[in-house]
Amino acid sequence: DKLFSGFSKTRDNLAVIDELLLYWNLSDTDRVLDELEEALLVADFGPKITIKIVESLRDDIYAGNLKSGSEIKDALKKCVLDLVTKKGNKTELQLGFRKPAVIIIVGVNGGGKTTSLGKLAHRLKKEGAKVLMAAGDTFRAAASDQLEIWAERTGCEIVVAEKEKAKASSVLSQAVKRGKEGGFDVVLCDTSGRLHTNYSLMEELIACKKAVSKVVPGTPNEILLVLDGTTGLNMLPQAREFNEVVGITGLILTKLDGSARGGCVVSVVDELGIPVKFVGVGEGVEDLQPFDAETFVDAIVI
Ligand code: GDP
């Protein structure tokens, strides 16, 4: 399965532990937990979560609650599962009843925004939705060409800027109008990803939000932040800033197929309290998987 193979690098990294646990006995405990700590840090679980996991296992082992390597492994899995299933976090898209639903995709350049939008369009179409794309990255000339390729690939209609240097908010507003008139179920909006330190991008995103809600009240239904999984914990400050300014409803973590740092999924959920809705595990149309905590845990800890 795609998700399982996508996480192979993270799993390989954690496999050290598997071997150690196979021959575990009580006198090995500290050495094994040191190795586990190291492996979790390398996989980007972050220091806070790593300590939480290791100390809770240590307590349970010394209290006599965990008596074998396989019991320790199950406890480790349960720990990770509890950390990624935050209460109240909805991992499914919340699209409401009013048509069209609007999803705005945000994130810095190169993270995988346009690709994820294309993959999401494919997924929604397969579920029977009529999907419209909006090329809201009016800053980078090549961006709308790239999205047009995805529109063709997935068989979706697309709204692009009519003139050069058009405002992103007016392209999105136009797209949502088209979505309303054309009986579309979902409008997927791309946005610019120039450096997040550039304040005008944040202003632009706020304007985009306002513009779509003017056309269909209650939208955008989702604002999904795309984060590059290979950057691991470095993605956190960026994610915080986007969240503070625009209010993120869900995350898409991309490139997890190329990363040994899959543990960042856990630290991101813990730090931000925002649900991961999808993970990107490749460049093809099918390579966007809905995030399911149990499958995730099974994919990273064998
Ligand atoms: P944007 O600038 O945020 O719109 O980023 P793009 O969508 O253009 O993606 C940047 C690069 O990352 C492209 O070469 C994509 O094919 C690649 N990419 C995006 N998502 C994934 C993923 O999940 N896995 C892998 N391996 N590559 C990805």
Side-chain angles (χ1 to χ4, degrees):
D1 146 277
K2 273 276 178 190
L3 192 77
F4 193 77
S5 59
F7 278 101
S8 65
K9 289 197 175 166
T10 306
R11 190 167 59 247
D12 287 351
N13 166 22
L14 292 176
V16 190
I17 299 313
D18 200 50
E19 215 153 289
L20 284 170
L21 287 179
L22 198 63
Y23 303 107
W24 173 86
N25 66 57
L26 195 57
S27 64
D28 288 335
T29 300
D30 289 337
R31 185 173 62 91
V32 171
L33 289 180
D34 281 352
E35 294 271 353
L36 174 62
E37 186 175 315
E38 177 72 32
L40 292 174
L41 287 173
V42 172
D44 254 348
F45 278 77
K48 202 174 94 193
I49 285 171
T50 299
I51 291 169
K52 213 190 260 181
I53 294 175
V54 170
E55 291 319 311
S56 119
L57 291 177
R58 196 188 308 275
D59 289 349
D60 275 339
I61 292 170
Y62 286 121
N65 300 333
L66 303 173
K67 296 189 188 69
S68 68
S70 71
E71 282 184 16
I72 298 173
K73 199 160 82 181
D74 288 345
L76 168 65
K77 281 188 164 186
K78 171 140 197 329
C79 243
V80 177
L81 186 65
D82 287 347
L83 284 163
V84 280
T85 41
K86 284 245 150 127
K87 240 175 95 191
N89 259 1
K90 292 197 173 74
T91 57
E92 276 139 37
L93 286 178
Q94 306 294 309
L95 297 183
F97 298 104
R98 211 177 304 200
K99 296 282 169 68
V102 179
I103 301 177
I104 301 181
I105 314 267
V106 303
V108 300
N109 277 340
K113 222 176 328 113
T114 309
T115 311
S116 299
L117 193 156
K119 291 190 268 188
L120 185 56
H122 175 72
R123 171 166 282 279
L124 291 168
K125 269 201 85 174
K126 261 191 8 191
E127 288 169 6
K130 189 175 173 192
V131 180
L132 179 66
M133 293 182 179
D137 184 354
T138 53
F139 194 74
R140 207 162 49 95
S144 75
D145 298 345
Q146 198 192 340
L147 196 64
E148 276 184 280
I149 294 172
W150 275 101
E152 217 164 276
R153 192 177 290 164
T154 55
C156 290
E157 196 179 307
I158 181 171
V159 172
V160 298
E162 275 162 8
K163 55 180 197 309
E164 240 179 273
K165 305 253 183 303
K167 275 193 181 159
S169 54
S170 67
V171 176
L172 298 201
S173 163
Q174 206 187 326
V176 179
K177 276 181 199 144
R178 168 77 195 115
K180 205 168 147 183
E181 290 156 7
F184 284 84
D185 299 301
V186 188
V187 183
L188 291 178
C189 307
D190 199 10
T191 58
S192 169
R194 55 196 190 266
L195 263 185
H196 66 283
T197 46
N198 186 334
Y199 188 68
S200 64
L201 170 61
M202 296 301 172
E203 279 180 339
E204 181 178 292
L205 294 177
I206 292 167
C208 285
K209 256 176 98 168
K210 272 197 197 134
V212 302
S213 75
K214 244 188 191 166
V215 185
V216 178
T219 62
N221 307 73
E222 294 269 11
I223 300 179
L224 302 179
L225 173 63
V226 173
L227 295 170
D228 181 338
T230 61
T231 63
L233 289 176
N234 295 328
M235 66 173 68
L236 279 173
Q238 189 190 98
R240 273 195 208 103
E241 187 179 346
F242 271 101
N243 191 34
E244 272 161 28
V245 183
V246 281
I248 303 300
T249 60
L251 303 171
I252 299 179
L253 293 186
T254 60
K255 308 184 197 178
L256 290 171
D257 50 307
S259 170
R261 308 167 106 183
C264 66
V265 175
V266 184
S267 37
V268 159
V269 172
D270 187 66
E271 288 277 331
L272 302 174
I274 303 169
V276 176
K277 302 218 164 182
F278 296 97
V279 292
V281 290
E283 296 176 276
V285 279
E286 301 280 349
D287 296 335
L288 187 77
Q289 305 271 315
F291 181 72
D292 171 69
E294 283 186 36
T295 320
F296 165 74
V297 175
D298 285 337
I300 63 164
V301 189
I302 357 163

